[in-house]
């Protein structure tokens, strides 16, 4: 039997060739069991194969004869166990071997050697070419899920096949997997399955094997306390030694309240460790270790404030970094009086063995703490956002003004200036990446076009502008300023698809029927002239208007109608519709201070634009991957591990709702059903909580990965094409697409998958840091907003429950905060935490996830470097939890902790 897959690719010489990959399925592949007379005899085999009556180590779980069949992770992580002479008669599937080869060549070589060792009786079964064990990947199924299913199908086949052998004592097949979901599915399918640890512990005659079990944890190793950090600083590359199991700790549900100081006293450190250890459940213990060596220091200049010494005329002072993960640094300076209350930069010089603090030196004064410009500079530096002015070398790469489109520019372009194209963006947007058109064509079908700014025309590979753009990676949007990836001449002028001017574009054009089914797709470099630059609100007003029927409005209505159909199709395929409150600040025109804070209101037109951008990204991803299967730049969204959903499932269960997390489709469907007539906001809260369970989407090179699936969009392939003004990944995708359609030349780096993979790593880092910087900017402006408000009383909903606190969401402001029930200097109320519900009983009041409460919000400015929004529960009223009177006023920012003052006075 033969199956085949056909695709088209371009050769290095530029020719287009059709490639057909044939996959043959056979009936004559033996099972490897010596006692089997049903299979043809093994020919030319160098290894011994499986024993007829396997009598390995005695197992209390499976006392009878049995073969073992491990999955990929067991093979990867427990190779030391599998190499032990005690472990024999193991079936190694082709699916598993291929995955191991892709993930670890050393382990692959070791397992091949074991298979070739006759006395081990390991057998490699080519299940991918056996007619009864080969399976096709289902639509929307990830490669990982498909391989897990292929392994279970093979185990099932072996179990059924061995039952047919005429033996007195039947041989079982034991499936070994450490994947909880895979094991549950196997048990549901009637397969005997154990974790590797369960099986090894059942070998009663070989207890020493337990010591060789690899400790596998997705959560890494916990390092607790300054002593175990051993002078390592955050982001250092270190060597770690695991502690004995009786010294392991767990990630606690206790929230340690920030008291405004970097308290690193030994007493305080021990107190914190004791609090955390006291709250641990034994089953939650995680691998814990200590740093035994520092392989590479990753010290960087640090922003923070000087904690001036109490000793008169002292030159040695402590510097407190803004990043709480960094210890205080001892510096020498004669400028202490001048630097007090200022944000400064300090560099670490070294950390002597006998010193509690590292030594460093003063580098630069950034300005007064609390000043808007200074704080913005700090958050950009702390999040490693390149924001220096563009160099002369970069600016010299820009086109000379006045600029106009030449005949050479038109050589590979289609003139689309006659089309009714318009853009729809947020108010005040000047870097307009995308525009749309929609019209009915002669055959009655609809032509829809997405037109994207042709930034790659201006940024040529390898020049100074290109190097600066890839270094920045992305535009960073702060609350009142934008850090551009490319110079303003491009971002807000020559590349921006403004109305009534000729612009160069890259167009993705579909022919669709009225059911939004794609009949044809084509890509072309183009020249366009947008007829209107609209905001979302203006576009929505046109769509809703009963009197407007011009070409732009008609086009928008048809686009909106098609977008609704496309969205329904996506959701039916399992795409997730999640929620994450976004806030918008209204600034004072003179002071630029925030005067109002609101959550962003999304309109139909937001969704309309999003649907066509998603469709363009998917269409381009398919095109560049078909042309360049080894070096397409793609974007994937990994499925979350099952444990990520625990809090969501428990929270829904507390409201008598069931959330299924087997797949994205099951999750989407159960979220749609999770509604309460008496509590309409509940569904939004569940979607917000679901967002917190998700993994981060990442860029990758297609030749370096085999799992392309985008979990959130339920798309088998995806990339970024639609925002090249603000994302460098899109520029690379534009270059790939231009080469694919013959509109531009390739260059060596574009075809080097290792260099592309390194670039993806940098882009993922830049996007993550930009996201963190944007959040820090929102947090700072939120503090400015509440600074002038005093105490504000608002409705809130409980999102998370901890052992000593609750985390609440205030819908009006899209603001999250923690309400603590333990405070220094106050009697501790009686607290009873229930992890299963989840709930927290404070005195006689029980607080559950999603409960509606009232809180007082205020700015706590007791520490100017770490100002924070403080929240206190008002309703339901709990005795001893009143609003502190002093929190609505600012207090001294640089007071030493009382404990330190007492020490100094001694």
């Amino acid at each position: 039997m033969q199956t085949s897959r056909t695709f088209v690719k371009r050769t290095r010489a530029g020719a287009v060739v059709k490639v057909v990959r044939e996959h043959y399925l056979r009936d004559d592949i033996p099972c490897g069991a010596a006692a089997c007379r049903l299979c043809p005899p093994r020919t030319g085999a160098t290894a011994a194969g499986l024993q007829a009556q396997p009598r390995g180590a005695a197992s209390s779980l499976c006392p009878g004869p049995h073969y073992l069949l491990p999955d990929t992770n067991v093979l990867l992580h427990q190779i030391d166990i599998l190499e032990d002479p005690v472990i024999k008669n193991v079936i190694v599937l082709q699916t598993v071997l291929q995955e191991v080869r892709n993930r670890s060549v050393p382990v692959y070589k070791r397992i091949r050697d074991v298979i070739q060792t006759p006395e081990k009786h390991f057998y490699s079964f080519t299940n991918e070419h056996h007619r009864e064990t080969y399976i096709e990947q289902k639509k929307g199924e990830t490669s990982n899920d498909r391989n897990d299913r292929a392994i279970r199908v093979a185990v099932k086949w072996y179990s059924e096949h061995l039952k047919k052998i005429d033996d007195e004592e039947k041989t079982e097949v034991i499936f070994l997997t450490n994947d909880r979901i895979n094991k549950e599915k196997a048990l549901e399918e009637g397969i005997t399955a154990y974790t590797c640890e369960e099986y090894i512990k059942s070998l009663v005659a070989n207890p020493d094997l337990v010591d060789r079990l690899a400790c596998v944890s997705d959560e890494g190793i916990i390092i607790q306390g300054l002593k175990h950090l051993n002078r390592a600083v955050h982001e250092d590359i270190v060597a770690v030694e695991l502690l004995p199991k009786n010294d392991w700790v767990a990630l606690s549900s206790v929230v340690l309240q920030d008291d405004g100081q970097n308290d690193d006293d030994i007493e305080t450190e021990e107190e914190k460790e004791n609090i955390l250890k006291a709250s641990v459940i034994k089953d939650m213990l995680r691998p814990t270790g200590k740093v035994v060596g520092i392989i590479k220091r990753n010290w960087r200049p640090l922003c923070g404030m000087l904690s001036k010494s109490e000793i008169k005329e002292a030159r040695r002072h402590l510097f407190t970094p803004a990043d709480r993960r960094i210890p205080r640094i001892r510096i020498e300076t004669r400028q202490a009086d001048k630097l007090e209350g200022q944000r400064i930069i300090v560099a670490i010089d070294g950390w002597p063995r006998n010193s509690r603090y590292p030594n460093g030196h003063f580098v630069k004064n950034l300005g007064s703490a609390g000043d808007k410009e200074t704080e913005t500079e700090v958050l950009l530096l702390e999040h490693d956002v390149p924001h220096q002015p563009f160099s002369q070398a970069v600016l010299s790469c820009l086109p000379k003004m006045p600029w106009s489109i030449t005949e050479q520019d038109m050589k590979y372009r289609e003139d689309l200036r006659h089309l009714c194209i318009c853009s729809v963006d947020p108010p005040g947007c000047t870097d307009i990446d995308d525009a749309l058109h929609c019209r009915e064509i002669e055959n009655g079908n609809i032509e829809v076009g997405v037109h994207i700014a042709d930034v790659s025309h201006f940024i040529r590979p390898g020049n100074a502008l290109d190097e600066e753009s890839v270094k920045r990676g992305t535009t960073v949007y702060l609350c009142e300023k934008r850090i551009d990836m490319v110079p303003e001449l491009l971002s807000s002028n020559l590349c921006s698809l403004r109305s009534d001017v000729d612009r160069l574009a890259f167009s993705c054009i579909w022919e669709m029927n009225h059911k939004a089914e794609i009949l044809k797709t084509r890509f072309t470099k183009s020249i366009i002239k947008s007829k209107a630059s609209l905001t979302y609100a203006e576009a929505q007003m046109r769509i809703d208007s009963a009197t407007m029927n011009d070409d732009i409005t008609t086009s928008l209505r048809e686009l909106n109608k098609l977008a609704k159909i496309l969205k329904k199709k996506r959701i039916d395929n399992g795409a997730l519709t999640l929620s994450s409150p976004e806030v918008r600040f209204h600034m004072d025109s003179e002071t630029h201070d925030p005067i109002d804070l609101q959550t962003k209101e999304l309109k139909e037109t937001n969704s309309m634009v999003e649907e066509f951008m998603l469709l363009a990204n998917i269409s381009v991803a398919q095109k560049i991957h078909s042309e360049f299967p080894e070096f397409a730049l793609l974007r994937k969204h990994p499925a979350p591990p099952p444990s990520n959903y625990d809090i969501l499932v428990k929270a829904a269960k507390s409201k008598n709702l069931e959330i299924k997390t087997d797949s994205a489709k099951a999750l989407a469907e159960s979220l749609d059903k999770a509604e309460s007539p008496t509590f309409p906001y509940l569904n939004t809260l569940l979607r917000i909580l679901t967002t917190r369970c998700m993994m981060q989407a990442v860029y990758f090179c297609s030749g370096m990965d085999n799992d392309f699936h985008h979990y959130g969009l339920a798309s088998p392939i995806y990339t970024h094409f639609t925002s090249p003004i603000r994302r460098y990944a899109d520029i690379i995708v534009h270059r790939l697409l231009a080469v694919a359609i013959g509109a531009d030349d390739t260059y060596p780096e574009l075809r080097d998958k290792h260099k592309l993979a390194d670039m993806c790593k940098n882009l993922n880092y830049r996007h993550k840091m930009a996201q963190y910087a944007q959040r820090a900017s929102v947090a700072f402006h939120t503090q400015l907003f509440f600074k002038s408000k005093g105490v504000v009383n608002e409705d809130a909903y409980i999102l998370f429950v901890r052992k000593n606190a609750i985390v609440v969401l205030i819908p009006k402001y899209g603001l999250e905060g923690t309400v603590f029930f333990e405070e220094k200097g106050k009697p501790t109320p009686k607290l009873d935490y229930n992890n299963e519900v989840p709930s927290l009983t404070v005195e006689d009041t029980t607080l559950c996830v999603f409960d509606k409460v009232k809180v007082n919000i205020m700015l706590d400015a007791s520490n100017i470097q770490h100002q924070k929004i403080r929240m206190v529960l008002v309703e339901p009223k709990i005795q001893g939890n009143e609003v502190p009177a002093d929190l609505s006023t600012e207090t001294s920012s640089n007071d030493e902790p009382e404990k330190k003052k007492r020490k100094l006075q001694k």
Side-chain angles (χ1 to χ4, degrees):
M1 181 181 170
Q2 175 190 341
T3 64
S4 64
R5 186 165 70 91
T6 306
F7 59 93
V8 177
K9 76 171 188 176
R10 190 181 294 272
T11 66
R12 288 189 176 181
V16 176
V17 293
K18 184 179 180 181
V19 179
V20 179
R21 284 193 179 158
E22 296 178 340
H23 192 94
Y24 290 92
L25 302 179
R26 298 168 53 176
D27 294 315
D28 59 348
I29 297 172
C31 68
C36 181
R37 302 291 175 264
L38 304 171
C39 295
R42 295 165 64 229
T43 55
T46 55
L50 303 167
Q51 290 177 305
Q53 284 291 311
R55 294 290 178 190
S59 167
S60 58
L61 286 173
C62 12
H66 58 270
Y67 301 133
L68 299 176
L69 197 155
D71 73 358
T72 307
N73 284 324
V74 169
L75 214 61
L76 277 168
H77 300 299
Q78 307 296 349
I79 184 67
D80 291 333
I81 289 279
L82 295 172
E83 286 176 329
D84 194 279
V86 171
I87 305 298
K88 297 179 180 178
N89 293 292
V90 175
I91 302 162
V92 182
L93 298 180
Q94 180 189 0
T95 306
V96 172
L97 265 181
Q98 286 173 344
E99 281 197 286
V100 169
R101 187 178 189 176
N102 288 334
R103 290 166 65 181
S104 175
V105 173
V107 173
Y108 174 75
K109 287 178 178 176
R110 286 170 71 181
I111 199 65
R112 293 298 305 179
D113 289 343
V114 174
I115 291 169
Q116 297 301 319
T117 307
E119 56 270 22
K120 287 286 286 176
H121 297 283
F122 274 50
Y123 179 65
S124 176
F125 178 63
T126 50
N127 63 305
E128 294 291 352
H129 290 278
H130 195 290
R131 188 197 295 267
E132 293 183 50
T133 57
Y134 173 75
I135 60 164
E136 293 278 359
Q137 189 167 348
K138 292 179 181 177
K139 187 179 178 183
E141 186 177 43
T142 66
S143 299
N144 189 55
D145 288 344
R146 181 261 170 207
N147 290 344
D148 284 347
R149 187 164 58 87
I151 295 167
R152 295 196 303 273
V153 166
V155 179
K156 191 101 173 170
W157 178 83
Y158 257 104
S159 298
E160 297 298 324
H161 181 74
L162 294 176
K163 284 177 185 174
K164 298 173 186 173
I165 298 173
D166 190 18
D167 258 352
E168 289 181 17
E169 200 171 2
K170 298 297 179 190
T171 304
E172 266 191 287
V173 176
I174 306 299
F175 178 37
L176 297 183
T177 177
N178 291 330
D179 185 323
R180 181 168 62 87
I181 294 291
N182 204 12
K183 183 185 172 188
E184 286 172 2
K185 287 181 179 178
L187 293 172
E188 286 171 12
E189 293 167 15
I191 295 168
T192 306
Y194 299 107
T195 65
C196 189
E197 186 176 1
E198 287 170 341
Y199 179 77
I200 296 302
K201 285 182 176 178
S202 77
L203 305 180
V204 287
N206 301 89
D208 53 312
L209 269 183
V210 175
D211 296 339
R212 300 186 67 184
L213 276 169
C215 174
V216 182
S217 172
D218 292 334
E219 296 178 26
I221 296 170
I222 297 172
I223 310 290
Q224 190 181 66
L226 290 171
K227 179 184 170 186
H228 288 156
L229 273 172
N230 193 12
R231 293 177 293 135
V233 174
H234 178 62
E235 290 185 343
D236 285 352
I237 297 170
V238 298
V240 171
E241 178 185 309
L242 272 181
L243 297 175
K245 279 197 174 182
N246 57 341
D247 290 332
W248 285 12
V249 297
L251 298 173
S252 175
S253 291
V254 170
V255 183
L256 293 175
Q257 188 171 183
D258 169 19
D259 59 4
Q261 298 291 338
N262 276 43
D263 251 345
D264 45 13
D265 285 344
I266 293 169
E267 297 97 318
T268 310
E269 185 70 30
E270 288 175 355
E271 184 185 327
K272 287 181 180 179
E273 286 186 32
N274 290 334
I275 291 169
L276 293 171
K277 285 178 180 175
S279 63
V280 163
I281 299 168
K282 195 173 181 180
D283 293 342
M284 295 170 68
L285 293 174
R286 294 286 177 269
T288 306
K290 64 179 180 181
V291 174
V292 292
I294 294 164
I295 297 164
K296 185 185 175 187
R297 289 286 192 189
N298 278 321
W299 292 343
R300 61 178 175 85
L302 299 159
C303 300
M305 294 183 72
L306 193 73
S307 299
K308 190 182 167 188
S309 171
E310 294 287 313
I311 301 168
K312 273 190 175 184
E313 297 182 12
R315 287 172 54 187
R316 303 181 81 189
H317 309 272
L318 285 177
F319 164 80
T320 305
D323 188 340
R324 293 185 175 280
R325 296 168 297 187
I326 308 293
R328 293 213 243 183
I329 300 160
R330 183 178 283 116
I331 67 169
E332 287 196 25
T333 178
R334 302 167 193 268
Q335 306 176 62
D337 293 334
K338 183 182 170 185
L339 297 179
E340 197 172 14
Q342 301 287 298
R343 288 282 204 172
I344 62 173
I345 296 178
V346 161
I348 301 177
D349 299 323
W351 197 333
R353 183 188 294 272
N354 59 350
S355 173
R356 180 157 182 77
Y357 304 107
N359 293 330
H361 66 272
F362 167 74
V363 175
K364 185 181 178 182
N365 185 355
L366 295 174
S368 298
D371 175 74
K372 236 188 312 185
E373 287 298 316
T374 303
E375 295 302 329
T376 300
E377 179 73 9
V378 168
L379 74 87
L380 289 171
L381 288 169
E382 281 298 294
H383 294 99
D384 195 18
V385 175
H387 60 287
Q388 67 281 2
F390 289 100
S391 69
Q392 198 54 50
V394 170
L395 297 175
S396 67
C397 298
L398 297 173
K400 300 293 180 280
M401 297 300 285
W403 174 85
S404 61
I405 296 169
T406 65
E407 284 187 21
Q408 183 64 27
D409 294 335
M410 290 296 296
K411 192 174 178 182
Y412 295 104
R413 292 185 188 274
E414 200 172 323
D415 193 338
L416 303 178
R417 285 175 285 191
H418 61 284
L419 294 176
C420 185
I421 295 171
C422 69
S423 62
V424 184
D425 290 283
C429 178
T430 60
D431 52 342
I432 303 171
D433 284 291
D434 55 86
L436 296 157
H437 91 268
C438 179
R439 63 172 181 167
E440 191 168 305
I441 50 180
E442 291 176 0
N443 60 9
N445 290 329
I446 303 165
E447 181 185 86
V448 176
V450 165
H451 311 277
I452 306 301
D454 189 5
V455 182
S456 62
H457 173 84
F458 297 96
I459 301 180
R460 302 310 295 165
N463 67 14
L465 177 55
D466 185 48
E467 288 173 1
E468 182 65 24
S469 300
V470 71
K471 178 185 165 189
R472 295 187 178 220
T474 180
T475 293
V476 182
Y477 294 89
L478 305 181
C479 290
E480 57 172 329
K481 71 186 292 187
R482 189 178 79 204
I483 313 297
D484 282 325
M485 181 184 80
V486 298
E488 191 177 11
L489 179 64
L490 296 183
S491 65
S492 296
N493 188 351
L494 301 186
C495 291
S496 183
L497 304 182
R498 302 187 300 187
S499 58
D500 301 320
V501 287
D502 293 349
R503 286 291 178 257
L504 301 179
F506 212 148
S507 300
C508 172
I509 300 170
W510 305 277
E511 183 181 328
M512 296 180 177
N513 59 24
H514 289 268
K515 294 178 182 176
E517 293 167 339
I518 297 171
L519 307 174
K520 288 180 188 173
T521 305
R522 68 186 182 93
F523 306 97
T524 180
K525 290 232 175 183
S526 60
I527 176 171
I528 67 167
K529 189 172 185 177
S530 172
K531 302 299 183 282
S533 299
L534 306 173
T535 65
Y536 290 116
E538 288 167 347
Q540 191 68 54
M541 184 191 71
R542 282 174 175 264
I543 290 169
D544 297 339
S545 172
T547 57
M548 297 182 78
N549 290 296
D550 57 280
D551 289 346
I552 293 171
T553 305
T554 305
S555 173
L556 286 169
R557 284 180 185 139
E558 189 61 40
L559 284 167
N560 196 40
K561 184 177 127 189
L562 292 169
K564 288 177 180 177
I565 300 170
L566 289 169
K567 186 171 184 178
K568 186 179 184 305
K569 284 181 184 176
R570 275 198 316 110
I571 291 168
D572 289 346
N573 283 336
L576 297 172
T577 307
L578 302 180
S579 183
S580 183
E582 291 186 61
V583 298
R584 182 186 299 282
F585 291 94
H586 295 275
M587 302 292 187
D588 185 285
S589 57
E590 292 182 7
T591 65
H592 298 287
D593 285 338
I595 53 175
D596 197 11
L597 173 60
Q598 295 174 337
T599 51
K600 289 182 184 176
E601 183 188 349
L602 298 180
K603 301 182 181 296
E604 267 186 8
T605 44
N606 290 79
S607 179
M608 176 190 79
V609 173
E610 181 187 20
E611 286 307 315
F612 287 107
M613 296 307 114
L614 293 175
L615 189 61
N617 287 334
I618 291 167
S619 297
V620 171
Q622 291 166 343
K623 177 68 176 176
I624 63 172
H625 183 249
S626 67
E627 293 286 335
F628 311 114
E630 286 295 302
F631 40 86
L633 191 153
L634 303 175
R635 188 166 175 82
K636 68 174 180 178
H637 181 213
S643 58
N644 279 29
Y645 288 122
D646 288 349
I647 183 68
L648 173 67
V649 171
K650 286 178 183 177
K653 191 178 177 183
S654 71
K655 297 295 178 187
N656 299 315
L657 296 169
E658 184 184 11
I659 298 291
K660 294 180 179 176
T661 59
D662 301 342
S663 65
K665 186 171 175 62
L667 177 61
E669 287 173 351
S670 54
L671 282 171
D672 287 340
K673 293 174 187 172
E675 291 188 342
S676 169
T678 58
F679 188 5
Y681 197 65
L682 175 62
N683 191 262
T684 303
L685 288 169
L686 283 167
R687 291 181 192 275
I688 291 169
L689 212 52
T690 307
T691 306
R692 310 300 166 84
C693 303
M694 294 295 117
M695 305 290 282
Q696 188 75 37
V698 290
Y699 296 112
F700 69 101
C701 175
S702 59
M704 305 292 281
D705 207 325
N706 55 7
D707 182 11
F708 296 1
H709 191 75
H710 196 293
Y711 180 80
L713 297 174
S715 177
I717 193 166
Y718 190 68
T719 193
H720 272 163
F721 164 75
T722 55
S723 295
I725 294 176
R726 61 186 178 90
R727 290 189 305 231
Y728 189 82
D730 302 53
I731 294 176
I732 294 295
V733 170
H734 276 229
R735 289 173 182 170
L736 288 165
L737 185 60
V739 174
I741 65 171
D744 206 346
D745 298 324
T746 186
Y747 57 99
E749 287 79 10
L750 197 63
R751 289 174 170 268
D752 188 329
K753 64 182 182 182
H754 296 286
K755 285 187 178 176
L756 272 176
D758 288 341
M759 184 190 293
C760 288
K761 189 176 177 182
N762 173 60
L763 294 176
N764 290 330
Y765 170 75
R766 289 294 173 204
H767 277 262
K768 181 176 72 174
M769 298 316 286
Q771 202 174 45
Y772 291 165
Q774 285 156 205
R775 287 178 194 165
S777 179
V778 169
F780 174 64
H781 280 79
T782 303
Q783 290 166 10
L784 288 179
F785 173 71
F786 283 104
K787 187 176 184 178
S788 60
K789 294 287 177 184
V791 179
V792 179
N793 184 273
E794 286 296 341
D795 289 337
Y797 292 96
I798 299 175
L799 266 187
F800 302 100
V801 172
R802 305 294 187 224
K803 289 191 174 180
N804 62 335
I806 55 172
V807 179
V808 299
L809 170 74
I810 298 155
K812 181 177 176 180
Y813 300 125
L815 179 65
E816 264 183 54
T818 304
V819 177
F820 289 93
F821 297 108
E822 291 179 328
E823 290 192 48
K824 282 186 178 179
K826 289 190 175 183
T828 302
K830 182 185 172 188
L831 301 172
D832 185 12
Y833 173 68
N834 185 335
N835 185 43
E836 290 304 313
V837 174
S839 68
L840 177 67
T841 302
V842 187
E843 296 296 343
D844 298 321
T845 305
T846 300
L847 303 167
C848 300
V849 171
F850 302 147
D851 280 359
K852 188 175 183 179
V853 296
K854 265 193 183 296
V855 294
N856 275 351
I857 315 161
M858 65 218 78
L859 177 68
D860 180 356
S862 57
N863 181 318
I864 197 165
Q865 174 156 241
H866 295 117
Q867 292 188 41
K868 60 191 176 189
I869 299 297
R870 181 82 177 272
M871 294 188 187
V872 176
L873 191 68
V874 177
E875 290 179 17
K877 190 169 177 60
I878 295 170
Q879 190 176 0
N881 200 54
E882 294 80 14
V883 183
D886 61 333
L887 280 181
S888 56
T889 59
E890 294 188 31
T891 57
S892 172
S893 60
N894 283 308
D895 289 343
E896 287 285 339
E898 284 301 314
K899 192 180 290 182
K900 285 196 179 343
K901 279 188 177 178
R902 288 198 301 272
K903 285 182 182 176
L904 290 166
Q905 288 164 3
K906 283 179 183 177

